[in-house]
Amino acid sequence: VTHEDANVSRVMRYSSTDTLVNNLQIILSMPELCDVVFLVGEKQVPVYGVKAVLSTRSKVFNKLILKAQQEQQMMSQKSKKKSPKKHVVIKVRKYQVEDFRKIINFIHCGKVEVSKRSVAGLFIGATQFALSDLRTACTDYLSRKMKSGSAPDLVNSATFYKEHSSYDRFVSTVNTVMSEKLSASFKETQL
């Protein structure tokens, strides 16, 4: 063995996140493997998740889950039934079902498809649940849409979320990104 060979590491590191992401997507599609169910919208459509993943990715979700668990335990003690519920149940009224499903999927799998229809819900969810990486993805999408000239439609597509506490922040972000793009465009024409 030469001196150079002795310096070569004896350990090789390999990473395969695709397999992990695929497995998490399968888990989300199987309610019996999940321990949290969100009842979303007026029709209370179930969207499933895993407590451990939700709690570690978002302090806000952690607080929601702990509060819901405590409430369910108190209700169980009052009714003197000892049959524990399989899922922690959390009602979510202020989101479109598909937008909320994308938020939950993003938290578990780390990827999301942002579109004109979903950007407002995703941005508002990212703000509410303190998901800075999702908020960055939405802001990047908004910036790209500004380049293509379709900015005014973005605020109009967010009307479902008008009553949401983060709606004004979304509109402000759209306006800020639009101003930055207009300013940059103006500077280019001046050169």
Side-chain angles (χ1 to χ4, degrees):
V1 175
T2 66
H3 181 64
E4 287 181 28
D5 291 337
N7 291 331
V8 175
S9 175
R10 295 179 189 260
V11 176
M12 183 180 102
R13 186 172 296 184
Y14 175 75
S15 176
S16 174
T17 57
D18 289 344
T19 303
L20 176 63
V21 168
N22 291 338
N23 289 340
L24 286 169
Q25 286 177 320
I26 291 169
I27 289 169
L28 290 177
S29 71
M30 300 175 74
E32 60 274 7
L33 295 179
C34 296
D35 51 8
V36 178
V37 63
F38 298 94
L39 301 177
V40 184
E42 289 180 24
K43 295 182 180 180
Q44 297 191 354
V45 176
V47 174
Y48 296 93
V50 177
K51 277 192 298 194
V53 176
L54 291 161
S55 293
T56 56
R57 293 270 285 138
S58 167
K59 290 180 183 179
V60 177
F61 272 115
N62 184 45
K63 288 178 184 177
L64 284 173
I65 291 167
L66 292 175
K67 181 180 175 189
Q69 283 178 314
Q70 290 172 347
E71 289 172 359
Q72 283 178 217
Q73 287 173 348
M74 287 176 27
M75 294 293 283
S76 175
Q77 289 172 353
K78 285 181 181 178
S79 67
K80 297 183 182 182
K81 291 183 181 177
K82 294 297 177 190
S83 59
K85 289 189 176 184
K86 182 175 176 147
H87 295 100
V88 174
V89 179
I90 300 173
K91 292 184 180 180
V92 179
R93 293 182 181 93
K94 295 182 178 182
Y95 284 90
Q96 298 274 1
V97 174
E98 283 310 308
D99 292 345
F100 193 78
R101 191 180 318 269
K102 283 184 174 191
I103 293 166
I104 297 302
N105 192 57
F106 177 78
I107 289 171
H108 287 79
C109 302
K111 62 182 183 176
V112 68
E113 288 183 12
V114 183
S115 68
K116 176 181 159 183
R117 194 198 71 65
S118 67
V119 67
L122 294 174
F123 182 92
I124 287 168
T127 302
Q128 180 179 1
F129 302 119
L131 303 166
S132 61
D133 45 354
L134 180 56
R135 190 168 168 174
T136 299
C138 293
T139 304
D140 185 48
Y141 175 82
L142 292 171
S143 180
R144 290 170 191 256
K145 288 308 266 183
M146 299 302 162
K147 287 180 182 176
S148 68
S150 58
D153 293 344
L154 294 170
V155 173
N156 294 336
S157 69
T159 56
F160 177 85
Y161 294 102
K162 254 188 169 155
E163 300 300 317
H164 202 285
S165 61
S166 299
Y167 175 79
D168 290 338
R169 192 172 290 168
F170 173 74
V171 172
S172 174
T173 300
V174 170
N175 290 334
T176 299
V177 171
M178 194 176 343
S179 295
E180 289 170 359
K181 292 301 172 190
L182 289 173
S183 178
S185 175
F186 179 73
K187 285 179 183 177
E188 287 176 9
T189 60
Q190 296 298 312
L191 297 177

